[in-house]
Amino acid sequence: QAQLVESGGGLVQPGGSLRLSCAASGVSFSINAMGWYRQAPGAQREMVAVITGGGDRNYADSVKGRFTISRDNPKKTVYLQMNNLKPEDTAVYYCYADRYVFPTKREYWGQGTQVTVSS
């Protein structure tokens, strides 16, 4: 069974940087999109960044210019480089992956990693 294993979260000061990593293990199929979502206390989960199987990237407006998503397909790993972090970025960050299986899209989620931006 597929498992998404996340790492890289932690505590950082405003203006600092973190890099999140997520590796898909136990995966024998081809992954389409991979990405990152986040959920702050009292808020709904929102998309942060997604990279498609073809390499197209999409970012939430709030992180454009600060975050960069990338992937290493042989390693089945997705990264999120987060620069110039703000307190508003504080949330649990969840790794995401999907694949298309007729007639539906299968989605996979990591367990979440805490990112806290605070002085």
Side-chain angles (χ1 to χ4, degrees):
Q1 185 173 338
Q3 181 179 0
L4 303 181
V5 181
E6 300 157 339
S7 63
L11 174 65
V12 66
Q13 293 184 330
S17 298
L18 287 172
R19 190 176 81 151
L20 305 182
S21 299
C22 173
S25 63
V27 177
S28 60
F29 52 82
S30 296
I31 298 172
N32 180 41
M34 300 189 78
W36 295 91
Y37 289 67
R38 68 187 182 187
Q39 187 168 22
Q44 296 201 77
R45 187 175 299 189
E46 63 175 349
M47 188 274 289
V48 178
V50 172
I51 183 167
T52 70
D56 296 323
R57 303 176 184 186
N58 190 31
Y59 298 94
D61 288 341
S62 60
V63 307
K64 287 181 179 177
R66 300 188 298 119
F67 291 10
T68 302
I69 189 169
S70 60
R71 66 191 292 174
D72 185 330
N73 289 330
K75 295 182 178 179
K76 297 182 178 179
T77 300
V78 63
Y79 305 93
L80 186 67
Q81 179 66 46
M82 304 185 292
N83 297 327
N84 192 25
L85 283 160
K86 303 177 180 180
E88 307 93 273
D89 297 317
T90 296
V92 178
Y93 284 69
Y94 296 90
C95 182
Y96 166 89
D98 65 37
R99 66 172 179 134
Y100 287 97
V101 180
F102 181 84
T104 64
K105 179 175 67 177
R106 297 273 182 89
E107 299 181 349
Y108 305 87
W109 295 91
Q111 80 287 349
T113 184
Q114 177 70 46
V115 172
T116 302
V117 185
S118 176
S119 298

